[in-house]
Amino acid sequence: MKQEKVYYGWKVVVCAFMCLFFGQLLYTNVMGVYTKAITEQFGWERAQFTLWTSVSAIVMMISSPIIGKLYQKYPMKKVMCMIVLIMSSGYLGFACSSQLWHFYMFAVLMGVGFAGYIRMGPSILVNLWFGPKLKSMAMAIVTTSTTFGTLIIVPMITNIVGKFGWRAGYFTTVGINLLVVIPVFWFIIDTPESKGIEKQGMINEDEKTMVERDGVDLEPSQVLKLPEFYLFGAAQLLCAICSTGILTNVQMYFTDIGFNSAVAAWITSASWATAFVGRFIVGGVCKNKGVRTGITFCAAAYTFSMIGLFFTQYNMIFGFLYAAGYAVGSCITILVPPLMTPTMWGAKNNARNYGLVNFCSSIGTIFGATAIALVYDMTGTYSNAWLALAGIFVLAGILFYLSLTISKKRNSVLRAKMST
C-alpha cells in the first residue's frame, strides 16, 4: 500500500471535529437560549418545553443500535449525510413550530441526529482510521471542539436569536448543516482500504507497549452475552446521569450559594475552558499508559471535582478544584468510552458495538437533569447531590476498570487459542 506525507486520517479527524463543533454545540450548548426565548413568546412553562429533550433522548436510545448496523453495512459518508439531513429536517420543523406538540414531534428527528451524528459519528470515524497507538490522541483533538465551540458557536447563536429571533437561529443551523457539514462529509473517503493506504497506529504482534491492543473481533450478539458489557453499560449509565445533572444544574448551584450570576458563569466557563487541556492530558495517559490507567485517572479527577464543588459553598477557592477536576474527569463520558469499545471487542464491528454502548448512556441522559433537580427539591440544596455524585464516580470507575480487566483476560485466552 502507498504512503502519504500527511496521513489522510488527520483530514478525517477534521470531519469528526465538526460532529461536535457544529453538531453537539448547536444541539446542547445553546439550548438555554432557545428555551428562554420560546417560552417567553408563547407563555409556556420551561419544563413543558424542555420535555422535547426527553423525547429526543428516548429516540437516541432506541435508534443507536440500528444506526450502528447502518454504519457497518453502508458507506460511512452516505449514512452520515443522511442522518445530518434528518436532523436538519428536525431543526427546520422547530423553526416552523408554534405548538408544544410540534416540538415534541420534530424531536424524534433530532433524536436520530443526536445518536448518529453527535454521539456515534466521531468515535466511528476515528476508529476507522487509527489504530490503538494513535486513536487516543486523535480523539483528544476531536473532543477539543466542544471547548472552541463555546467561544464561537454559543455567542453567534445568542446574537442571532437576540437580534432576529429564535426561528432565525434554527434556520442558521439548517444552513450550516446543508452548506458546510454535508458537503464536507460527502467528499471524505470512508476507510484506509478504500484509499489504498495502511491504517496508522497499529501495534505489531511482537511489539512491547503499555497501550492495549484492539480486542478479538466479536459480533454484537456475542458481546451481549459477556459480563463486561453489563459492567461497562452500568458505568456508562451512571456517568451519563451524573454528567447531564452537572451540566444542567451547576450554574444554579453557584448562584444559590451566594455568587452573583457573572461569577457563576465565569466558574462554569472556566471548567469548560480547562477541558481543552484535560483532553490532551487524558489522551496522553491512554496513549502511554493504556486505557485502564486513563479511565482510573478520569474517575479520580471527577470524584475530586465533586468534592471541590461541595466545599465551594464554604470557600470560593474550591471552585478551582472543581474546574480542574472537571477538565480531566469529563473525558470519562466523551473520550474514553470510544477507546474502550474496540479495545474490548475489536475494531471490525466497532460501529454496531458502540451503538449498544451508546444505548446504555442514553438511558442516563434521559434522567440525569431530573435526578439532580429532585435531590434539590427534596433537601433544599444541591450539596448532597455533589457528595452522592462523588461516590457514584468512584463506583463507575471501578465498573469501567473491571470491564476492561475481564475483557483483557478473555482476549488473552482467545489469542492464545487462535495461535495454537
Side-chain angles (χ1 to χ4, degrees):
M1 290 188 176
K2 63 182 180 181
Q3 295 294 331
E4 298 181 321
K5 290 184 179 180
V6 178
Y7 180 50
Y8 188 85
W10 296 112
K11 299 178 183 178
V12 176
V13 163
V14 175
C15 295
F17 185 98
M18 290 173 62
C19 290
L20 299 179
F21 185 84
F22 290 123
Q24 177 166 317
L25 292 167
L26 288 170
Y27 177 89
T28 304
N29 292 56
V30 297
M31 195 178 296
V33 178
Y34 288 114
T35 298
K36 187 175 188 299
I38 293 172
T39 54
E40 287 181 354
Q41 177 175 332
F42 293 108
W44 299 331
E45 295 291 333
R46 292 185 181 183
Q48 287 180 304
F49 175 72
T50 55
L51 185 60
W52 77 262
T53 62
S54 297
V55 175
S56 177
I58 291 171
V59 173
M60 178 187 69
M61 176 183 68
I62 296 171
S63 63
S64 289
I66 299 170
I67 293 172
K69 291 181 181 179
L70 294 176
Y71 276 135
Q72 191 84 22
K73 186 176 182 180
Y74 299 104
M76 171 80 188
K77 65 180 181 182
K78 292 183 179 179
V79 177
M80 177 66 77
C81 288
M82 182 57 66
I83 289 173
V84 175
L85 189 60
I86 290 172
M87 193 174 197
S88 298
S89 300
Y91 280 119
L92 184 61
F94 273 24
C96 298
S97 295
S98 58
Q99 301 291 330
L100 272 174
W101 69 268
H102 294 165
F103 289 96
Y104 301 159
M105 178 178 66
F106 288 113
V108 173
L109 303 180
M110 301 288 277
V112 173
F114 191 19
Y117 175 31
I118 300 172
R119 280 294 184 87
M120 299 175 64
S123 169
I124 294 170
L125 284 168
V126 168
N127 278 285
L128 281 173
W129 283 88
F130 294 91
K133 290 194 293 185
L134 287 176
K135 70 177 64 174
S136 59
M137 292 310 298
M139 280 301 301
I141 294 171
V142 169
T143 55
T144 59
S145 57
T146 55
T147 300
F148 285 121
T150 57
L151 303 176
I152 301 172
I153 297 296
V154 176
M156 180 187 75
I157 295 297
T158 301
N159 287 333
I160 290 173
V161 172
K163 291 181 179 180
F164 306 105
W166 58 271
R167 297 185 193 275
Y170 286 132
F171 281 128
T172 300
T173 300
V174 173
I176 290 172
N177 285 340
L178 297 182
L179 300 177
V180 180
V181 177
I182 290 180
V184 169
F185 275 104
W186 186 255
F187 290 103
I188 66 171
I189 298 173
D190 288 304
T191 63
E193 293 76 16
S194 301
K195 190 169 175 59
I197 60 177
E198 292 182 357
K199 184 176 183 177
Q200 290 193 1
M202 300 302 291
I203 302 174
N204 299 325
E205 289 297 327
D206 57 347
E207 185 177 351
K208 293 183 179 180
T209 176
M210 290 289 291
V211 178
E212 289 96 337
R213 304 172 187 273
D214 283 341
V216 175
D217 293 322
L218 296 180
E219 295 285 338
S221 58
Q222 296 172 295
V223 170
L224 287 170
K225 298 177 183 178
L226 300 174
E228 63 261 36
F229 168 75
Y230 295 96
L231 294 173
F232 188 4
Q236 281 282 86
L237 188 151
L238 291 175
C239 286
I241 291 174
C242 294
S243 60
T244 305
I246 294 167
L247 284 172
T248 53
N249 291 279
V250 68
Q251 193 162 337
M252 289 184 287
Y253 166 69
F254 289 134
T255 56
D256 285 349
I257 61 177
F259 296 159
N260 63 48
S261 57
V263 173
W266 181 83
I267 297 176
T268 306
S269 299
S271 66
W272 291 344
T274 54
F276 172 81
V277 179
R279 300 291 191 264
F280 287 103
I281 292 174
V282 175
V285 171
C286 291
K287 177 184 178 182
N288 297 310
K289 299 296 182 180
V291 181
R292 284 197 298 176
T293 303
I295 199 68
T296 302
F297 187 41
C298 289
Y302 232 153
T303 300
F304 283 112
S305 176
M306 293 300 97
I307 293 173
L309 200 54
F310 173 82
F311 281 107
T312 302
Q313 63 188 308
Y314 303 115
N315 193 313
M316 182 180 172
I317 196 68
F318 287 100
F320 293 99
L321 176 61
Y322 159 70
Y326 180 87
V328 173
S330 60
C331 295
I332 206 170
T333 57
I334 194 171
L335 173 60
V336 179
L339 303 178
M340 288 179 61
T341 305
T343 298
M344 296 169 68
W345 308 310
K348 181 180 178 181
N349 300 303
N350 177 67
R352 288 188 290 165
N353 289 335
Y354 191 65
L356 297 176
V357 172
N358 197 49
F359 175 89
C360 298
S361 64
S362 60
I363 298 174
T365 302
I366 296 172
F367 301 106
T370 304
I372 303 304
L374 183 62
V375 173
Y376 176 84
D377 290 339
M378 294 175 64
T379 64
T381 176
Y382 284 110
S383 299
N384 296 321
W386 308 140
L387 291 179
L389 294 194
I392 290 174
F393 279 124
V394 171
L395 176 59
I398 293 172
L399 293 174
F400 275 130
Y401 192 89
L402 286 175
S403 64
L404 281 165
T405 301
I406 293 171
S407 68
K408 184 177 182 180
K409 291 180 179 178
R410 178 183 48 75
N411 279 306
S412 297
V413 173
L414 290 176
R415 287 194 183 97
K417 289 181 179 179
M418 293 167 63
S419 62
T420 57

